[in-house]
Amino acid sequence: MRRREFIQGSLAVAAQVALPAATANAAPTLTIPYGAAVRGDVLVDDYNYRKALIDHCQLIVAEGSMKWESIHPTPDRFDFYDGDKLINFAEQNGMKMRGHTLVWYAAMPEWALAIKGANQANSEMSRHIETVVGRYRGRIPSWDVVNEAVADEPTASDYLRPNVWLENLGKDYLATAFRRAHASDDQVQLVINEYDIECVGEQYKRRREALLRIVRDLRDRDVPVHAVGLQGHLRGELEIDKHALSEFVSQVKAMGLDVLVTELDVTDNLLPPDQQERDTIVASRVEDFLGAIFDAARPTAIVTWGISDRHTWVPMYFTREDGRHNRPLPLDRNYRPKAMMEVIERFTRTTG
Ligand code: G3I
């Protein structure tokens, strides 16, 4: 069985769990798993949060619990408490869990940012990946191996984001990370995850080109990378470049990779104050984004970066000047579905 069939199979099985009996004898609906980023502390404290995840999701991902600062706080200590809690919750409720993230510039503990030289960088990255992927081998079917490798303002000569790994290992750090992850669990979907590639504008165009170049380079060197994660942190005020996004996804598919949506939400700090109007604009951005992707390929999963407006990172950077709460996610602060959830459900239930 080819890897991709294994991965699609395991995620699709999770998705099928949700189907009501009535459709049992209808043509099988190849649903796409929908999932959300989860916060371990809220999971324990908030019953409605747990219920919303169980009611709507086939998949979850840790919003922070599996990042270096949480899971590897000191050189000789790994902390799997939160990660284990989340994956047990997922398995107890018939869901799968994605892994986020093995190699990133952010959420790094001071000791790791102080890494110096290729040898130390290589051994610390390898030990981290082998230990974390090894811990969840056979339980996590998809990992964000490298996150946000593209420079903020990429140019043809300078397109990789500076970080402790690029500094000490050069651009080979990406190939090393994917090879280590593959060696740690050869059944996992290995993902390169990126943001800000979907909108109209020169900067987005250059970011698409940079990401395609990175993927092409990895593929040309037979590095085991299986999919591109489109984070999808959409801006309510910015138009989706539907043609360019479809073309981007087609090129990714042409290189033999899958795509998935990994962190979908819509910042609304520059949108009108009226809730109804804001929710409608948010849903239309999601419609354009998912529509452009589906025109080129079916993503292997659709994940939002949180499920309810009550628990979201958006106010950290995109607080509304009028003091109103942000509304970036599929469920409102009282866990009631919004127009955005209807759009997502329509796409996840398109027959394949
Ligand atoms: O847990 C501590 C808490 O003890 C402390 O009191 C508080 C005040 O400083 O900080 C809390 O940690 C925060 C953590 O979120 C948990 O809420 C960190 O400071 C804060 O930096 C961290 O932000 C996360 C950020 O990634 C950095 O890891 C956001 O929640 C999370 O939504 C965001 O997610 C990223 C994806 O991983 C990658 N793509 C973009 C996305 C949004 O930025």
Side-chain angles (χ1 to χ4, degrees), residues 163-305:
N163 61 37
V164 65
W165 308 116
L166 185 67
E167 207 179 292
N168 290 293
L169 296 170
K171 75 181 183 74
D172 272 356
Y173 88 84
L174 292 108
T176 301
F178 281 101
R179 290 195 172 114
R180 288 284 172 278
H182 180 65
S184 303
D185 187 343
D186 65 4
Q187 292 301 310
V188 168
Q189 177 192 48
L190 303 178
V191 178
I192 183 165
N193 197 37
E194 197 54 78
Y195 69 99
D196 278 4
I197 58 130
E198 58 272 336
C199 293
V200 171
E202 182 56 25
Q203 182 202 348
Y204 293 91
K205 177 174 176 294
R206 282 196 271 120
R207 292 178 60 80
R208 287 189 289 273
E209 290 164 356
L211 185 53
L212 285 173
R213 179 176 177 180
I214 292 170
V215 172
R216 195 170 292 115
D217 174 56
L218 292 171
R219 292 299 296 176
D220 292 351
R221 299 164 60 197
D222 289 329
V223 173
V225 52
H226 308 122
V228 170
L230 307 172
Q231 290 186 7
H233 292 292
L234 312 182
R235 309 294 175 82
E237 73 281 7
L238 294 180
E239 191 191 338
I240 301 294
D241 190 333
K242 293 193 276 187
H243 174 72
L245 179 56
S246 293
E247 179 52 30
F248 173 87
V249 172
S250 299
Q251 292 195 46
V252 169
K253 290 298 286 185
M255 288 192 272
L257 277 75
D258 281 320
V259 296
L260 61 160
V261 174
T262 56
E263 305 184 18
L264 181 58
D265 57 18
V266 185
T267 55
D268 64 339
N269 55 311
L270 301 178
L271 294 184
D274 177 74
Q275 273 185 200
Q276 187 70 36
E277 193 180 349
R278 232 182 317 154
D279 292 354
T280 304
I281 295 170
V282 162
S284 71
R285 296 297 183 206
V286 172
E287 177 86 37
D288 291 349
F289 176 68
L290 295 177
I293 295 170
F294 275 73
D295 284 350
R298 288 169 61 79
T300 60
I302 296 175
V303 177
T304 52
W305 206 237

